[in-house]
Amino acid sequence: MTANGVSIPPERARAAREVAAVLAPGRRVALTTHVNADGDGVGSEVALWHVLVARGLRASIANPTPIPERFHFLLPAGADHSTRAAREIEAADVVVVLDISDLSRLGDLARAITQSHAVACIDHHVSQGSLPGGPRLVAPEAAATAELVFDLASELGWPLTPEAARALYVGILTDTGGFRFANTTPRVLRVAGELLERGVDPESIYSSVYASAPEGRIRLTAEVLATLVVELEHGLAWVTVPPDALHRHRVTADDLDGIVEYPRSIAGVRLALLFRQLANGKVKVSFRSVGDVDVAELAQQFGGGGHRKAAGASLDGTLAEAQAAVLAAARSYLDGREG
Ligand code: AMP
Ligand code: MN
Ligand code: MN
């Protein structure tokens, strides 16, 4: 059907109604997203929080890791209970997992979520997912989870306030890389247009999300870019976050967002990587591609996942070991698909 000038595919409309069926007024709902929440995870949960509270549900945000400072401007007072997330999830009648379908990226909350009464999921990842059964509004062709939250609200006729619209716009803006990536479809631009109709101010959102950086983010960027290695014979480029750099610059993982776009932007590069040692001893790799290189496939070789042109994985071993393994796989993958 057509709602708000943007048509909703029938299967997606049906899935939206199944999710809505468990969101009855009066229910206690916990909203959560993947570790190191991004703009799409936070934007989707904040928008859904507004919609559900207006419908008379008791909603709270309960994330496995703290919401990055960059997105605090979106948070309604009293909405974020991430410091006691596991208890919120245990006490909820329904858990809505947004922007992820895999238990493995829900950190310490995986156990509580597995034991929940009802788990709904709204997501746009390729992975089949490992969440317990429940209603699913999952569409890998959606640019952002925020696009699907927009569809849910539209299909059910649930009003989007300017605050909710702003949060969804942040999700779409950040997951499309500012409307530059391949997932920038005509449809998602129409959805963004509908959000602007509801009073979203793109300039002020740009300023909050991208132009209110702590000084450390810029200094960190400089340090990471200094590690750049380019192998044009393979179409490969990568950067590495020096151990303890986040700590020294007093920033968080969120401040690394977008750095991998620099190696990707080099002419002739088809695959760009960012390596980072995690506090838990693992090594996080971000994969970004150009053209027909499918990084979701590559990341899956290392137990990760994501999308065709943006994926990630967390590997065991030292930084040097993880780097050697991933670079070897990347070179052979790239050499196998020349031209
Ligand atoms: P990132 O490189 O962290 O910006 O993530 C890029 C994409 O890959 C995101 O859409 C994530 O959903 C996905 N992703 C990142 N890390 C992992 C992981 N460890 N396992 C599965 N998917 C991941
Ligand atoms: Mn995400
Ligand atoms: Mn997303």
PDB file of all heavy atoms in Angstrom, residues 33-34 38 40-41 99 105 124-125 175, ligand 2:
ATOM      1  N   THR A  33      20.211  -2.588  20.399  1.00  0.00           N
ATOM      2  CA  THR A  33      20.910  -2.662  19.115  1.00  0.00           C
ATOM      3  C   THR A  33      22.299  -3.252  19.340  1.00  0.00           C
ATOM      4  O   THR A  33      22.642  -3.621  20.470  1.00  0.00           O
ATOM      5  CB  THR A  33      20.963  -1.281  18.431  1.00  0.00           C
ATOM      6  OG1 THR A  33      21.520  -1.436  17.117  1.00  0.00           O
ATOM      7  CG2 THR A  33      21.825  -0.282  19.194  1.00  0.00           C
ATOM      8  N   HIS A  34      23.078  -3.333  18.259  1.00  0.00           N
ATOM      9  CA  HIS A  34      24.396  -3.984  18.347  1.00  0.00           C
ATOM     10  C   HIS A  34      25.403  -3.194  19.182  1.00  0.00           C
ATOM     11  O   HIS A  34      25.222  -2.003  19.420  1.00  0.00           O
ATOM     12  CB  HIS A  34      24.952  -4.233  16.940  1.00  0.00           C
ATOM     13  CG  HIS A  34      25.058  -3.008  16.080  1.00  0.00           C
ATOM     14  ND1 HIS A  34      26.055  -2.081  16.230  1.00  0.00           N
ATOM     15  CD2 HIS A  34      24.275  -2.567  15.072  1.00  0.00           C
ATOM     16  CE1 HIS A  34      25.897  -1.127  15.325  1.00  0.00           C
ATOM     17  NE2 HIS A  34      24.815  -1.385  14.626  1.00  0.00           N
ATOM     18  N   ASP A  38      25.638   2.590  16.241  1.00  0.00           N
ATOM     19  CA  ASP A  38      25.901   3.636  15.250  1.00  0.00           C
ATOM     20  C   ASP A  38      24.649   4.500  15.099  1.00  0.00           C
ATOM     21  O   ASP A  38      23.659   4.328  15.834  1.00  0.00           O
ATOM     22  CB  ASP A  38      26.338   3.002  13.927  1.00  0.00           C
ATOM     23  CG  ASP A  38      25.338   1.951  13.439  1.00  0.00           C
ATOM     24  OD1 ASP A  38      24.209   1.912  13.955  1.00  0.00           O
ATOM     25  OD2 ASP A  38      25.707   1.170  12.538  1.00  0.00           O
ATOM     26  N   ASP A  40      22.383   4.514  12.873  1.00  0.00           N
ATOM     27  CA  ASP A  40      21.177   3.783  12.478  1.00  0.00           C
ATOM     28  C   ASP A  40      20.584   3.041  13.672  1.00  0.00           C
ATOM     29  O   ASP A  40      19.365   3.054  13.871  1.00  0.00           O
ATOM     30  CB  ASP A  40      21.521   2.817  11.339  1.00  0.00           C
ATOM     31  CG  ASP A  40      20.302   2.221  10.676  1.00  0.00           C
ATOM     32  OD1 ASP A  40      19.242   2.880  10.673  1.00  0.00           O
ATOM     33  OD2 ASP A  40      20.408   1.100  10.148  1.00  0.00           O
ATOM     34  N   GLY A  41      21.453   2.406  14.468  1.00  0.00           N
ATOM     35  CA  GLY A  41      20.958   1.706  15.656  1.00  0.00           C
ATOM     36  C   GLY A  41      20.289   2.678  16.623  1.00  0.00           C
ATOM     37  O   GLY A  41      19.152   2.465  17.061  1.00  0.00           O
ATOM     38  N   ASP A  99      18.626  -3.219  13.983  1.00  0.00           N
ATOM     39  CA  ASP A  99      19.878  -3.066  13.221  1.00  0.00           C
ATOM     40  C   ASP A  99      20.865  -4.208  13.455  1.00  0.00           C
ATOM     41  O   ASP A  99      22.058  -4.021  13.258  1.00  0.00           O
ATOM     42  CB  ASP A  99      20.520  -1.698  13.533  1.00  0.00           C
ATOM     43  CG  ASP A  99      21.532  -1.283  12.475  1.00  0.00           C
ATOM     44  OD1 ASP A  99      21.292  -1.576  11.286  1.00  0.00           O
ATOM     45  OD2 ASP A  99      22.572  -0.689  12.837  1.00  0.00           O
ATOM     46  N   ARG A 105      26.553 -10.136  18.162  1.00  0.00           N
ATOM     47  CA  ARG A 105      26.922  -8.718  18.263  1.00  0.00           C
ATOM     48  C   ARG A 105      26.077  -7.986  19.307  1.00  0.00           C
ATOM     49  O   ARG A 105      25.972  -6.776  19.309  1.00  0.00           O
ATOM     50  CB  ARG A 105      26.840  -8.038  16.894  1.00  0.00           C
ATOM     51  CG  ARG A 105      27.916  -8.604  15.954  1.00  0.00           C
ATOM     52  CD  ARG A 105      28.030  -7.835  14.679  1.00  0.00           C
ATOM     53  NE  ARG A 105      28.543  -6.497  14.921  1.00  0.00           N
ATOM     54  CZ  ARG A 105      28.074  -5.399  14.345  1.00  0.00           C
ATOM     55  NH1 ARG A 105      27.058  -5.466  13.521  1.00  0.00           N
ATOM     56  NH2 ARG A 105      28.617  -4.238  14.606  1.00  0.00           N
ATOM     57  N   HIS A 124      18.319  -4.787   8.585  1.00  0.00           N
ATOM     58  CA  HIS A 124      18.583  -4.813   7.132  1.00  0.00           C
ATOM     59  C   HIS A 124      19.898  -5.515   6.807  1.00  0.00           C
ATOM     60  O   HIS A 124      20.494  -5.234   5.759  1.00  0.00           O
ATOM     61  CB  HIS A 124      18.564  -3.392   6.558  1.00  0.00           C
ATOM     62  CG  HIS A 124      19.689  -2.527   7.031  1.00  0.00           C
ATOM     63  ND1 HIS A 124      20.469  -1.774   6.166  1.00  0.00           N
ATOM     64  CD2 HIS A 124      20.173  -2.287   8.264  1.00  0.00           C
ATOM     65  CE1 HIS A 124      21.387  -1.118   6.867  1.00  0.00           C
ATOM     66  NE2 HIS A 124      21.225  -1.398   8.132  1.00  0.00           N
ATOM     67  N   HIS A 125      20.363  -6.415   7.684  1.00  0.00           N
ATOM     68  CA  HIS A 125      21.588  -7.148   7.377  1.00  0.00           C
ATOM     69  C   HIS A 125      21.309  -8.398   6.539  1.00  0.00           C
ATOM     70  O   HIS A 125      20.195  -8.912   6.553  1.00  0.00           O
ATOM     71  CB  HIS A 125      22.326  -7.510   8.665  1.00  0.00           C
ATOM     72  CG  HIS A 125      22.972  -6.323   9.289  1.00  0.00           C
ATOM     73  ND1 HIS A 125      22.327  -5.528  10.205  1.00  0.00           N
ATOM     74  CD2 HIS A 125      24.180  -5.753   9.067  1.00  0.00           C
ATOM     75  CE1 HIS A 125      23.127  -4.531  10.544  1.00  0.00           C
ATOM     76  NE2 HIS A 125      24.256  -4.639   9.865  1.00  0.00           N
ATOM     77  N   ASP A 175      23.900   5.676   7.657  1.00  0.00           N
ATOM     78  CA  ASP A 175      24.095   4.390   6.975  1.00  0.00           C
ATOM     79  C   ASP A 175      24.306   4.542   5.466  1.00  0.00           C
ATOM     80  O   ASP A 175      24.841   3.631   4.829  1.00  0.00           O
ATOM     81  CB  ASP A 175      22.926   3.433   7.253  1.00  0.00           C
ATOM     82  CG  ASP A 175      23.285   2.417   8.335  1.00  0.00           C
ATOM     83  OD1 ASP A 175      24.123   2.743   9.198  1.00  0.00           O
ATOM     84  OD2 ASP A 175      22.734   1.290   8.321  1.00  0.00           O
TER      85      ASP A 175
HETATM   86 MN    MN B   2      24.555  -0.569  12.456  1.00  0.00          MN
END
